[in-house]
Amino acid sequence: MFSCLTKRFLFPADQLPDLRKDYRKYYGGKQMNCETNDTPLMGIMGIVLHKMLNTAKGMYQEFDLNRSQASVLFMLHQRDSMSQKELAAQLNITAPSITSMIQKMERDKYITREPDRHDQRVMRLALTEKGRSCIQAVKNVADRMEEIFFQGMSLEEKLLFRRLLIQAGENLTNYERKEKA
């Protein structure tokens, strides 16, 4: 049963589309305790993100990878090699958080760690042949997820959605910078 996260509106109700008529299509015909219009945007985003990550998780399991490991493979594919610190910054996670993942991926022969040629204190991460062979599978999962996610949307809607997500990400980055200053 889908339940309301809050009764607070982020926008006046008369400015929101009436989503009630379509809720059965989106929630498998289950009756909801509240109107979709009552669910804050953050709640809807959280629900959609959770569903998206669970769907991707199932697709990555076929390759004995999780979503985070797939992100590491893709990032290293784009850059050839990176330090652990650079990789953590690109993926927006702390260096300690990435350590165990890197160790597991090295143990499973997806990546290697080698000393940097210019600074022996820095370890460079790079894809192994096994890691490179997974790149197409990672791209295929990303393509399939986009296909599922954007089903029934026009090209213009997809581009607008992308632009709005990028803008929202930039807004959050700017906010974080101001908070740290």
Side-chain angles (χ1 to χ4, degrees):
M1 185 69 87
F2 188 90
S3 62
C4 286
L5 300 174
T6 180
K7 289 287 185 183
R8 189 183 83 226
F9 287 106
L10 296 178
F11 299 98
D14 61 344
Q15 293 179 12
L16 292 171
D18 187 1
L19 302 174
R20 291 172 291 187
K21 62 182 179 265
D22 292 330
Y23 74 86
R24 283 190 174 86
K25 177 170 67 172
Y26 294 109
Y27 297 103
K30 296 178 184 173
Q31 182 65 39
M32 295 170 46
N33 300 4
C34 62
E35 295 180 13
T36 307
N37 290 348
D38 291 344
T39 305
L41 185 58
M42 293 298 295
I44 293 169
M45 288 172 57
I47 292 165
V48 170
L49 180 62
H50 182 75
K51 287 180 179 186
M52 187 173 76
L53 294 177
N54 279 340
T55 302
K57 179 181 177 182
M59 292 179 186
Y60 285 124
Q61 283 178 340
E62 178 182 339
F63 309 102
D64 197 29
L65 293 171
N66 63 39
R67 182 183 54 83
S68 299
Q69 291 169 328
S71 296
V72 168
L73 291 177
F74 192 72
M75 189 63 61
L76 290 174
H77 171 71
Q78 290 181 314
R79 302 275 177 98
D80 264 346
S81 75
M82 301 175 82
S83 72
Q84 186 169 325
K85 184 177 178 179
E86 292 168 334
L87 182 61
Q90 283 293 313
L91 297 175
N92 199 27
I93 57 178
T94 63
S97 297
I98 204 168
T99 300
S100 63
M101 180 177 20
I102 295 300
Q103 290 170 341
K104 181 182 184 323
M105 292 179 76
E106 185 178 26
R107 186 177 59 246
D108 292 344
K109 308 274 192 254
Y110 288 107
I111 62 173
T112 60
R113 279 196 272 193
E114 298 174 5
D116 187 276
R117 288 180 283 167
H118 305 292
D119 185 349
Q120 296 294 308
R121 298 170 296 172
V122 175
M123 297 299 282
R124 305 292 295 175
L125 304 171
L127 292 177
T128 62
E129 188 55 43
K130 180 179 179 180
R132 280 189 289 281
S133 71
C134 290
I135 292 301
Q136 190 57 51
V138 169
K139 288 179 181 179
N140 290 346
V141 169
D143 290 345
R144 180 68 180 129
M145 286 301 301
E146 281 195 28
E147 184 181 304
I148 292 166
F149 189 84
F150 290 115
Q151 183 178 352
M153 294 186 200
S154 69
L155 177 61
E156 292 80 13
E157 290 169 325
K158 293 175 195 178
L159 293 172
L160 176 61
F161 186 77
R162 178 182 170 83
R163 187 188 66 74
L164 293 173
L165 282 178
I166 290 169
Q167 179 65 51
E170 289 172 358
N171 292 345
L172 290 169
T173 298
N174 292 337
Y175 175 79
E176 290 170 352
R177 285 185 190 136
K178 287 178 186 174
E179 286 294 305
K180 290 179 182 177

